[in-house]
């Protein structure tokens, strides 16, 4: 017996196909892994620009009076750089300073953050943030 799963497509899927993207199933999302070859693509990005479709990635909203405190506790980066409308690349760290995941944290408004995590680790990252919140006055949701 087999079970069929529907592979999800991002908003840029058709654009990537038309551009010659070699599409693969990446953890339930149809994404391109290559277009014209690694060397040619590397040179194009180094000399001009590239695009990476991140719409398949996980989203965690962290809100409440202690939202900054929670994110500052769990990342090594000063989130003061993430003023309203801006984001910072950082990492979620475990208690020993080891890596849980890499993230991008955006400040949407005072006490409201959007944390972008890897698609395949979104549940684990969400649970990690919940476990670190303790008695902090925060709400989070995926």
């Amino acid at each position: 017996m087999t079970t069929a799963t529907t592979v999800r497509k991002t908003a840029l899927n058709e654009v990537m196909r038309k551009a010659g993207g070699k599409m693969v199933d990446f953890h339930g999302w149809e994404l391109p892994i290559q277009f014209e070859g690694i060397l040619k693509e590397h040179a194009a990005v180094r000399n001009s620009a590239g695009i990476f479709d991140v719409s398949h990635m996980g989203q965690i909203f962290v809100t409440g009076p202690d939202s900054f405190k929670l994110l500052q506790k769990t990342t090594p980066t000063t989130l003061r750089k993430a003023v309203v409308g801006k984001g910072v690349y950082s990492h979620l760290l475990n208690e020993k300073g080891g890596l849980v995941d890499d993230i991008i944290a955006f400040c949407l408004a005072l006490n409201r953050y959007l944390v972008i995590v890897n698609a395949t680790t979104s549940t684990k990252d969400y649970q990690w943030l919940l476990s670190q919140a303790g008695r902090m006055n925060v709400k989070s949701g995926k």
Side-chain angles (χ1 to χ4, degrees):
M1 180 174 164
T2 62
T3 58
T5 58
T6 303
V7 177
R8 295 176 286 180
K9 297 179 181 180
T10 68
L12 294 177
N13 184 278
E14 245 344 274
V15 173
M16 299 296 183
R17 282 183 167 289
K18 288 179 181 173
K22 179 181 176 186
M23 309 301 277
V24 299
D25 180 345
F26 180 78
H27 299 281
W29 290 88
E30 187 176 67
L31 296 172
I33 57 167
Q34 188 172 333
F35 290 88
E36 296 183 46
I38 293 173
L39 294 178
K40 193 167 188 176
E41 292 168 30
H42 171 80
V45 171
R46 295 283 293 189
N47 297 319
S48 187
I51 185 171
F52 180 70
D53 185 355
V54 297
S55 57
H56 69 285
M57 297 187 74
Q59 300 177 12
I60 301 171
F61 290 91
V62 181
T63 61
D66 291 333
S67 55
F68 176 85
K69 182 179 175 182
L70 173 61
L71 292 174
Q72 195 62 71
K73 172 186 174 185
T74 56
T75 65
T77 307
T78 177
L79 291 179
R80 298 217 184 279
K81 295 178 184 178
V83 296
V84 175
K86 301 286 182 182
V88 295
Y89 175 75
S90 191
H91 299 85
L92 291 178
L93 300 180
N94 64 27
E95 293 97 347
K96 295 180 180 180
L99 187 66
V100 174
D101 199 1
D102 61 328
I103 64 168
I104 303 173
F106 291 95
C107 181
L108 302 176
L110 180 65
N111 300 322
R112 182 166 167 75
Y113 292 86
L114 169 60
V115 181
I116 304 297
V117 298
N118 288 299
T120 58
T121 58
S122 62
T123 299
K124 173 183 67 86
D125 294 344
Y126 178 70
Q127 293 301 325
W128 172 250
L129 283 171
L130 283 179
S131 76
Q132 295 305 299
R135 294 180 183 220
M136 289 184 200
N137 188 357
V138 294
K139 293 180 182 175
S140 60
K142 288 173 45 175

